[in-house]
Amino acid sequence: SLLFDPKLLMRTVVVIPARMGSGRLPGKVMRPVLGKPLLGHLLDRVKLCSGVDEVIVASSDRVENDVIESYCDFRGIVTFRGSEEDVLSRLVGALQSVQADTGVLVFGDGPLVDPRIIDQILTTHRETMQYDFIGNDLTTSWPPGMEVEVFQTKILEDSNARCKDSRIREHGTLYIRTHPELYVLHNVDAPKD
């Protein structure tokens, strides 16, 4: 007989926050490198991940980000547009719009993220199912640009309802990461070598 495994029914979506505004390098996600924008390289890497049902780019509703949406349309990637400053609500809206049970946050300014790291953290989440949040950025042991976070959409929705500070909301999952008394957190450290 077949046993019911809820992990088999979990819809897993990679959400990539990306916008043209940046204090240090405006427009960086659409800067061309080797014939395609940096966002294109990131999308290529994410597509190599196993166990991911969909990818969505969560961009700002400002007109300057139309170019991101146009590029995603060209690539067949769904785009969600939301608040520029309230990244937490933008992430929640994006994941809800595609009925995601599990969110995998990969940052738009990390075009060299290793798909094996994404798979590793996602596998840890699926095998344990005991953590509200699993990431490799609670403590720094990986090279910059390799940050990945995995969580249930309902946990992100809970943090969205609880967090009232706009400075925290600007950083997406920061409320979860700074409230270990509310959420069970787990960090995946880089291997010693």
Side-chain angles (χ1 to χ4, degrees):
S1 72
L2 296 173
L3 296 175
F4 173 71
D5 185 352
K7 291 181 277 188
L8 297 176
L9 299 177
M10 302 287 278
R11 182 164 165 70
T12 302
V13 176
V14 172
V15 59
I16 301 172
R19 63 188 180 97
M20 293 299 284
S22 170
R24 293 174 292 183
L25 183 59
K28 64 186 167 190
V29 298
M30 294 305 292
R31 295 256 176 167
V33 174
L34 298 174
K36 71 174 83 166
L38 287 174
L39 179 60
H41 292 284
L42 175 57
L43 292 171
D44 290 346
R45 286 175 170 269
V46 169
K47 289 282 189 178
L48 296 173
C49 296
S50 58
V52 171
D53 297 302
E54 189 169 356
V55 176
I56 186 168
V57 172
S59 193
S60 158
D61 52 13
R62 291 188 180 170
V63 69
E64 67 194 33
N65 296 299
D66 289 353
V67 65
I68 293 173
E69 185 171 10
S70 294
Y71 180 73
C72 289
D73 286 346
F74 168 75
R75 290 285 304 258
I77 302 293
V78 176
T79 307
F80 177 86
R81 305 284 292 267
S83 171
E84 174 89 3
E85 294 81 20
D86 189 349
V87 178
L88 176 55
S89 71
R90 188 176 356 137
L91 293 175
V92 168
L95 291 169
Q96 288 175 336
S97 75
V98 292
Q99 295 81 44
D101 298 300
T102 301
V104 180
L105 180 59
V106 176
F107 297 95
D109 59 358
L112 300 179
V113 68
D114 190 329
R116 293 172 298 178
I117 294 172
I118 298 170
D119 283 341
Q120 175 189 0
I121 295 172
L122 188 52
T123 298
T124 302
H125 172 73
R126 285 188 172 140
E127 288 176 353
T128 61
M129 297 298 285
Q130 64 187 357
Y131 304 111
D132 294 321
F133 175 98
I134 296 180
N136 63 356
D137 56 357
L138 292 170
T139 59
T140 302
S141 62
W142 295 88
M146 297 298 132
E147 297 83 5
V148 177
E149 301 173 355
V150 178
F151 43 82
Q152 296 296 39
T153 301
K154 66 183 179 184
I155 297 301
L156 195 66
E157 290 168 341
D158 181 76
S159 71
N160 186 46
R162 290 175 184 264
C163 182
K164 306 301 180 207
D165 187 335
S166 61
R167 295 168 300 173
I168 302 293
R169 297 182 69 83
E170 182 181 358
H171 298 283
T173 61
L174 183 58
Y175 186 84
I176 295 171
R177 292 182 279 129
T178 56
H179 285 83
E181 76 283 3
L182 297 175
Y183 308 108
V184 182
L185 310 175
H186 178 67
N187 192 70
V188 176
D189 293 317
K192 296 269 188 271
D193 59 354

